[in-house]
Every structure is written in structure tokens, then in C-alpha cells.
Amino acid sequence: MFYQYADSGSWTESTYRANESDFELLKFRQRVAVNLADRTTASTMIGERVAMPAAIAPVGFTGMQHANGEILAAQAAEAFGVPFTLSTMSICSIEDVAAQTTRPFWFQLYAMKDRDFNRRLIERARAVGCSALVVTLDLQVLGQRHNDIRNGLSAPPKPTLSTIADLVTKPRWCLGMLGAKRWVFGNIVGHIKEVDDMQSLSSWVSGQFDPKLSWDDVEEIKNIWGGKLILKGTGIMDPEDARRAVQVGADAVVVSNHGGRQLDGAPSSISALPAIVDAVGDKTE
């Protein structure tokens, strides 16, 4: 269930496959007779020193892939020296991860219809010292992911016959999860009055993705946050949207099609990158 959640795309998965195949076409430019004695991969991202110009992207359900997965991933990123991004749909909460790390991490926000929840979530991220807010723009309508529907994806897994049969074959995972800090979405459960069980959680989440999300909302989020803002999502797959991101004050944009998990038929992320770089130049990272 959770493996297929991570290793699949939406609809026909054509964009999901193109992400990999197009990236494989890139090759290194090999030079010679260049002094490599002081070579380094160290760089900066939004003003932060990093061991290499890469960051751990936000992934929902990480704490279901592995017990306390978000905490372990944040600790690994901290040890290596790259940013970690915690998803709104994480199992471990913002506070859980902050309590187990010493380096500020980034927090990814899904802009929900419940604006008060958005504000409180942003305030929680600020309170623990998150150094950047990463706003995802492409989940106004959830992409149809056939594997998730077929598997009945949920956190924790629903006790169906197929799920129980699957769990029997994974005793190590089961034992690990028995000692996990949480089994549900830690950023949501306990922070929404209407959510007190798995059924109400599922109903609330499915009804919260906002099809009316606009650039005005992005500006409002930026004003509430007041810190470094990174915009992410299929919306930043087009030069016009990249220029709009600069206009609203984004400190960086992530050229992403959500791993091919939203709009199937969109171009690969890497193929969209050159046109966006040309459009924004050095106005944003």
C-alpha cells in the first residue's frame, strides 16, 4: 500500500515515467586540465549554507513508510547538511520533528479552505523556528491515483482482509509501527474540532483542498508568514506562472509536476526547467 503510494503516478502515469526518462537523457559535461584540488559541492539555498544544492522534498505519509519516518529523515538531512521539508500531511507533527532536531527545517503548506487552520499551521511552523514556508499550488483538485484507490490508502491502514494479509507478510514494519509516535496525521488530528476519528478525518481532508486557490491567497499567506517563501507545484511549470511568483515575492520556486502524481500529460519537470530559468533569471532562486 505505502510503497505503491510512493512509487506511482496519476492516471496513465505518463508524466510520472517522463520525469525519469527525460532526466536520464542529461549527461555530465566533462572537462579536463582544471584544478580540482579545492572542489566542493557546498552552496547556499535561500541564504542557508548547504552541503550540496539539494533538499529533501515534502512527502506525505512518511511516518507510515517507516515508524517515525519524518523525524528520521529530518535527522539524516541535518547530519548531511541539506534542508528537510516537512509535509502538511505528515504523520509526525511539526512539533515532533522540531523536538528531535537542532537545525531549522522547512515546512510545506497545503492551502486549505479552512483559512483559520492555515493561519494556525503557519503560526506553529513559525513558533518552532522553521526557516522557510513551501507552498504547494497544484493540489486544488486531487489527482486520480489508481493504486491508492485500489489499496484503500489511509493512515493508519484500514483493517480489511487484503490489508491484514499484506501486514502478515511484513512483521518488521508492524513491530516498528507499534513503537511509532503517531499513526495519524499529526499536523491535523488534535488541531481541528470537527476531527475526532478516522472517518471524520478522511471527510475533512477530502473536502479541504481549495479549487479557488489564487495568487491573492498566495500573497495573503506570504504576509501571514513573513519569512522566506518557496512556491512549489505544477503551477510553477510555466514561465508565466514563474514570473507571477516573482511578482508576489517568492524567494524561490520549485519546478515540479508533483512527481507526476497530479496532472497526467504534463511535461516532465526537468524539461520545463530551462524556459523558467530564462523567464525569471536571477530574480528568484
Side-chain angles (χ1 to χ4, degrees):
M1 175 187 294
F2 297 116
Y3 175 83
Q4 288 188 327
Y5 165 76
D7 192 29
S8 62
S10 63
W11 291 96
T12 69
E13 299 189 337
S14 65
T15 299
Y16 171 77
R17 293 190 299 271
N19 279 340
E20 183 174 352
S21 60
D22 287 357
F23 198 87
E24 286 179 341
L25 296 176
L26 297 179
K27 304 299 178 186
F28 288 113
R29 180 187 179 194
Q30 183 174 343
R31 298 288 306 282
V32 296
V34 176
N35 186 350
L36 301 178
D38 297 321
R39 64 191 181 278
T40 179
T41 59
S43 186
T44 61
M45 299 175 71
I46 61 168
E48 299 178 17
R49 294 290 299 172
V50 294
M52 64 183 297
I56 305 298
V59 179
F61 284 95
T62 301
M64 284 284 113
Q65 304 279 352
H66 191 289
N68 301 322
E70 292 91 0
I71 292 173
L72 295 175
Q75 291 173 337
E78 181 176 305
F80 189 77
V82 297
F84 168 77
T85 316
L86 183 69
S87 171
T88 291
M89 307 306 293
S90 61
I91 302 302
C92 298
S93 70
I94 301 171
E95 293 80 8
D96 293 338
V97 175
Q100 298 296 321
T101 54
T102 59
R103 174 174 174 165
F105 55 91
W106 299 351
F107 181 70
Q108 174 267 333
L109 176 74
Y110 284 125
M112 304 294 196
K113 289 180 180 178
D114 187 336
R115 296 297 195 256
D116 183 59
F117 173 73
N118 291 341
R119 179 181 291 273
R120 285 186 282 112
L121 202 54
I122 292 170
E123 290 172 349
R124 289 168 59 195
R126 185 191 301 116
V128 302
C130 288
S131 56
L133 187 70
V134 182
V135 181
T136 296
L137 300 176
D138 68 336
L139 209 70
Q140 293 166 284
V141 177
L142 184 65
Q144 180 144 318
R145 305 163 191 172
H146 295 156
N147 282 327
D148 293 350
I149 296 171
R150 187 181 305 113
N151 293 327
L153 180 72
S154 66
K158 296 175 183 176
T160 63
L161 288 176
S162 61
T163 299
I164 293 171
D166 189 26
L167 294 178
V168 168
T169 67
K170 298 174 177 61
R172 184 176 177 181
W173 181 89
C174 293
L175 288 173
M177 291 307 298
L178 287 175
K181 191 171 185 66
R182 299 181 190 277
W183 297 344
V184 295
F185 298 119
N187 290 323
I188 298 175
V189 175
H191 299 278
I192 298 293
K193 292 181 181 178
E194 299 86 352
V195 174
D196 52 17
D197 56 28
M198 286 307 301
Q199 184 174 354
S200 59
L201 172 62
S202 178
S203 298
W204 186 86
V205 171
S206 63
Q208 279 298 314
F209 296 116
D210 190 357
K212 296 181 179 179
L213 180 66
S214 70
W215 288 106
D216 290 338
D217 295 315
V218 175
E219 290 191 80
E220 181 181 359
I221 289 169
K222 177 177 173 58
N223 291 334
I224 294 171
W225 170 242
K228 296 287 186 179
L229 180 70
I230 301 172
L231 298 184
K232 170 186 178 292
T234 302
I236 313 300
M237 286 283 288
D238 184 276
E240 184 175 344
D241 287 330
R243 285 188 287 266
R244 190 73 179 90
V246 171
Q247 291 172 5
V248 300
D251 297 284
V253 296
V254 178
V255 181
S256 167
N257 56 32
H258 213 122
R261 297 161 58 76
Q262 280 298 100
L263 179 60
D264 189 38
S268 67
S269 298
I270 196 66
S271 69
L273 179 61
I276 291 178
V277 171
D278 290 342
V280 301
D282 60 0
K283 297 175 182 176
T284 190
E285 293 186 34

